[in-house]
């Protein structure tokens, strides 16, 4: 009973209200019905065809009642389901419709159950037995350009829904004459990239780019950007890696400053289609190239903000250290940078010409010129092994070389054959794995048996290339065993057993 009816039909104490007008109308209707019935009875009783007329009336009433019953059962008089939000009887029997209290799981074009949760990693389909059978699905990263007008994105979403493609995330990059929409999609495994691109083109998408994605892409963009900023704030060497993870597959190069002091790049940076140029925090120019996909203004703004953050924080590296006991001596392993340039040069002076030649593959007199570049966190990470007195006796470099990563070792003659080189190399490879590198390579001479033994000691798949006495050993990290991965420098201090391995 509604509040309005309760106010009319009930008094304040809850007792029914008697209306005399209603009673009067009911009595008048009763007297009228009695008068009409008496008139009909006199007509039938005194007429010549009275009994026949009575039988015909009974048959007509029975036929009318039967027709009404048949019509009521054949037609449903409920309001349309689209007006009430309820499921139709057909959908109720099939189990389709919309999920209550949440977003629509599947559109009508999909024809798949939405009242049931889809198994992770697959789309449900109906098998011969009527049961839902999960179908393997794949993740795609797709970027396409649509017109900047109402309905363009909706048309694209309808086209994807028609092929049973779920949109897991969406980022928009406004342009002057359109909008670049970047999707993370989950599609049936039977749907190829070509078919997906064709559907997007038919819905109005242009300049479509698509590639396979993985579980790491499920992290939303704000969370990923904040994580990259935090890593960059802790370590200067993280900037190139953070830019690569922020912008996808790209090549990053750092060019030195112009000797004349003139800046070739304005303060705000330059965006030139597939190339971004920014002022490096330490001077010079930081260049990011991605030939297969133009950068958007949104990506340019994110990259510039990350570089500005790195510049404001200044040079920094983690200052923790590990202590190893090797052959009775305590060896400290720590990160170093250009602040340790003097100690590194003193180590050069203690190394023999043969050792320096094995490391630098060139004139020994020029070895000191390479150190400033090698120790700069902008070009990679450097680990140093030092004695208890602080003297550096070994250096290990992990260098960002465009799309590739190089490892290099230099161990002082007196400290070779004690496992220092193998320890440094293992840690460098662990850093490369954490940075997402697919492989690392070492360039040495074919006669450098110590470096070859250290690479073989990693237990990773190796490729060898020899050209004119120069040996290039590439270790593939994508097939690395979990035991070979060591967490990068965490700053804890622990004493390790002195396993003797070759440098």
């Amino acid at each position: 009973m509604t509040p309005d009816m309760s106010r009319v039909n009930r008094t304040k104490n809850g007792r029914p209200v008697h209306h005399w007008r209603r009673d009067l109308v009911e009595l008048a209707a009763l007297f009228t019905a009695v008068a009409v019935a008496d008139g009909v009875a006199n007509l039938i009783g005194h007429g010549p065809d009275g009994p026949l007329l009575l039988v015909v009336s009974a048959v007509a009433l029975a036929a009318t009642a039967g027709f009404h019953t048949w019509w009521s059962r054949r037609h449903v008089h409920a309001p349309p389901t689209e007006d009430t939000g309820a499921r139709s009887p057909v959908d109720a029997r099939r189990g389709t419709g919309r999920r209550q209290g949440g977003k629509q799981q599947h559109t009508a074009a999909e024809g798949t159950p939405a009242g049931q949760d889809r198994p992770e990693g697959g789309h449900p389909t109906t098998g011969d037995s009527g049961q839902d059978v999960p179908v393997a699905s794949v993740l795609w990263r797709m970027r396409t350009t649509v017109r900047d007008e109402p309905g363009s994105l909706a048309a694209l979403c309808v086209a994807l829904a028609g092929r049973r493609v779920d949109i897991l995330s969406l980022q928009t990059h406004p342009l002057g004459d359109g909008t670049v929409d970047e999707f993370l999609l989950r599609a049936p495994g039977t749907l190829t990239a070509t078919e997906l691109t064709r559907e997007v083109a038919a819905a109005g998408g242009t300049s479509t780019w698509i590639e396979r994605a993985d579980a790491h892409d499920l992290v939303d963009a704000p969370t990923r950007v904040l994580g990259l900023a935090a890593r960059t704030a802790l370590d200067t060497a993280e900037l190139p890696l953070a830019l690569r993870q922020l912008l996808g597959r790209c090549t990053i190069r750092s060019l030195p400053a112009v000797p004349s002091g003139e800046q070739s790049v304005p303060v705000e940076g330059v965006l030139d289609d597939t190339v971004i140029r920014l002022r490096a925090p330490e001077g010079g120019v930081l260049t990011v190239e991605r030939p297969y996909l133009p950068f958007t203004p949104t990506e340019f703004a994110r990259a510039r903000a990350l570089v500005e953050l790195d510049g404001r924080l200044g040079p920094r590296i983690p200052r923790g250290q590990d202590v190893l006991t090797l052959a009775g001596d305590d060896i400290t392993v720590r990160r170093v940078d250009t602040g340790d340039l003097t100690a590194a040069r003193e180590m050069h002076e203690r190394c023999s010409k043969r050792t320096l030649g094995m490391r630098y593959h060139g004139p020994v007199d020029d070895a000191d010129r390479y150190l400033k570049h090698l120790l700069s966190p902008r070009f990679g990470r450097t680990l140093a092994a030092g004695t208890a007195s602080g003297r550096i006796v070994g250096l290990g470099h992990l260098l960002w070389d465009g799309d590739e990563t190089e490892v290099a070792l230099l161990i002082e003659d007196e400290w070779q054959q004690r496992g220092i080189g193998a320890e440094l190399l293992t840690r460098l490879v662990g850093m490369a794995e954490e940075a997402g590198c697919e492989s690392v390579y070492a360039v040495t001479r074919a006669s450098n048996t110590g470096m070859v033994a250290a690479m073989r000691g990693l237990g990773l798949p190796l490729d060898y290339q020899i050209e004119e006495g120069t040996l290039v050993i590439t270790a593939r990290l994508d097939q690395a065993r979990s035991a070979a991965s060591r967490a990068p420098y965490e700053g804890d201090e622990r004493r390790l057993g002195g396993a003797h391995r070759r440098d």
Side-chain angles (χ1 to χ4, degrees):
M1 183 178 296
T2 63
D4 293 336
M5 294 181 65
S6 64
R7 178 171 48 84
V8 174
N9 298 331
R10 291 185 177 273
T11 61
K12 293 183 179 179
N13 57 8
R15 296 179 180 178
V17 178
H18 297 283
H19 299 282
W20 62 271
R21 286 186 295 269
R22 180 185 303 173
D23 296 339
L24 184 61
V25 171
E26 291 178 354
L27 288 174
L30 178 62
F31 291 152
T32 302
V34 171
V36 172
D38 181 69
V40 172
N42 291 332
L43 177 62
I44 294 176
H46 296 86
D49 300 327
L52 179 62
L53 182 61
L54 189 61
V55 172
V56 171
S57 299
V59 173
L61 288 174
T64 302
F67 176 78
H68 177 73
T69 302
W70 173 82
W71 181 266
S72 300
R73 293 181 177 178
R74 185 175 180 86
H75 295 79
V76 179
H77 297 284
T81 56
E82 58 270 16
D83 292 341
T84 63
R87 294 187 298 174
S88 66
V90 176
D91 288 339
R93 290 192 296 270
R94 292 181 179 178
T96 59
R98 296 177 183 268
R99 181 184 299 172
Q100 299 296 327
K103 67 178 182 179
Q104 182 180 1
Q105 183 175 358
H106 294 285
T107 62
E110 298 180 62
T112 55
Q116 303 175 359
D117 290 335
R118 182 176 60 252
E120 183 177 357
H123 290 261
T125 59
T126 303
D128 297 337
S129 62
Q131 300 294 329
D132 288 338
V133 179
V135 178
S137 60
V138 295
L139 297 176
W140 295 98
R141 287 181 58 222
M142 184 186 71
R143 178 176 291 198
T144 188
T145 303
V146 297
R147 297 185 303 274
D148 189 10
E149 59 184 33
S152 57
L153 179 58
L156 193 59
C157 295
V158 170
L160 294 175
R163 298 304 298 265
R164 297 171 54 204
V165 177
D166 288 344
I167 300 176
L168 302 181
S169 67
L170 168 64
Q171 296 184 58
T172 58
H173 303 256
L175 301 177
D177 54 351
T179 301
V180 175
D181 291 332
E182 185 173 354
F183 297 90
L184 178 62
L185 306 174
R186 179 163 54 193
T190 56
L191 187 63
T192 64
T194 303
E195 294 173 336
L196 193 55
T197 304
R198 189 182 301 116
E199 291 291 336
V200 171
T206 59
S207 303
T208 302
W209 167 86
I210 186 171
E211 72 171 359
R212 291 289 293 270
D214 56 25
H216 296 88
D217 295 306
L218 294 174
V219 180
D220 61 287
T223 302
R224 184 170 65 252
V225 171
L226 288 174
L228 295 177
R231 291 176 55 181
T232 303
L234 295 175
D235 191 349
T236 304
E238 290 288 339
L239 179 61
L241 299 177
L243 288 173
R244 187 174 299 172
Q245 294 184 21
L246 178 67
L247 303 174
R249 222 171 16 244
C250 58
T251 301
I252 300 175
R253 295 185 175 88
S254 183
L255 304 178
V258 180
S260 62
E262 299 179 359
Q263 297 291 342
S264 58
V265 176
V267 177
E268 64 275 10
V270 174
L271 172 59
D272 184 12
D273 197 28
T274 60
V275 179
I276 292 178
R277 294 185 178 88
L278 299 169
R279 283 192 182 181
E282 73 282 356
V285 179
L286 196 63
T287 303
V288 185
E289 298 180 10
R290 189 175 64 186
Y292 64 93
L293 188 64
F295 292 108
T296 64
T298 302
E299 291 177 313
F300 174 71
R302 293 173 180 173
R304 185 175 61 185
L306 199 59
V307 174
E308 290 178 354
L309 172 65
D310 181 82
R312 288 180 179 273
L313 295 176
R316 64 215 171 275
I317 60 172
R319 292 298 179 183
Q321 63 183 20
D322 286 350
V323 179
L324 296 80
T325 302
L326 300 175
D329 296 310
D330 287 343
I331 300 297
T332 301
V333 179
R334 61 184 178 89
R335 286 281 302 276
V336 294
D337 58 5
T338 52
D340 301 276
L341 182 59
T342 302
R345 286 176 175 171
E346 292 175 353
M347 174 190 163
H348 270 190
E349 296 176 356
R350 295 191 300 269
C351 292
S352 65
K353 291 186 177 182
R354 179 180 179 278
T355 298
L356 294 176
M358 288 285 189
R359 166 62 184 89
Y360 296 108
H361 324 296
V364 176
D365 297 337
D366 296 336
D368 288 349
R369 293 194 302 108
Y370 308 138
L371 276 179
K372 187 175 182 180
H373 172 86
L374 294 174
L375 295 177
S376 172
R378 188 66 59 218
F379 303 103
R381 300 174 180 174
T382 300
L383 293 179
T387 63
S389 61
R391 188 179 71 175
I392 294 179
V393 297
L395 290 173
H397 305 284
L398 185 68
L399 304 173
W400 317 132
D401 184 15
D403 297 331
E404 300 177 333
T405 306
E406 180 185 358
V407 291
L409 296 175
L410 176 63
I411 307 299
E412 190 177 328
D413 297 63
E414 183 182 348
W415 292 87
Q416 294 180 9
Q417 308 297 326
R418 301 192 186 188
I420 297 178
E423 181 66 30
L424 293 177
L425 182 61
T426 301
R427 292 169 180 263
L428 294 174
V429 170
M431 292 179 177
E433 288 178 339
E434 191 222 18
C437 302
E438 296 180 357
S439 62
V440 295
Y441 72 92
V443 181
T444 186
R445 292 185 179 180
S447 58
N448 190 351
T449 57
M451 188 64 184
V452 175
M455 292 291 290
R456 293 179 61 183
L458 294 172
L460 304 176
L462 301 178
D463 296 330
Y464 300 88
Q465 294 181 353
I466 301 178
E467 295 182 3
E468 299 180 356
T470 300
L471 175 62
V472 180
I473 308 174
T474 303
R476 298 194 302 274
L477 306 184
D478 52 345
Q479 301 178 9
R481 300 173 303 182
S482 58
S485 176
R486 182 185 296 246
Y489 213 91
E490 298 176 352
D492 60 329
E493 184 171 333
R494 59 183 183 270
R495 191 170 298 272
L496 305 178
H500 290 254
R501 289 168 288 185
R502 295 177 61 87
D503 294 317

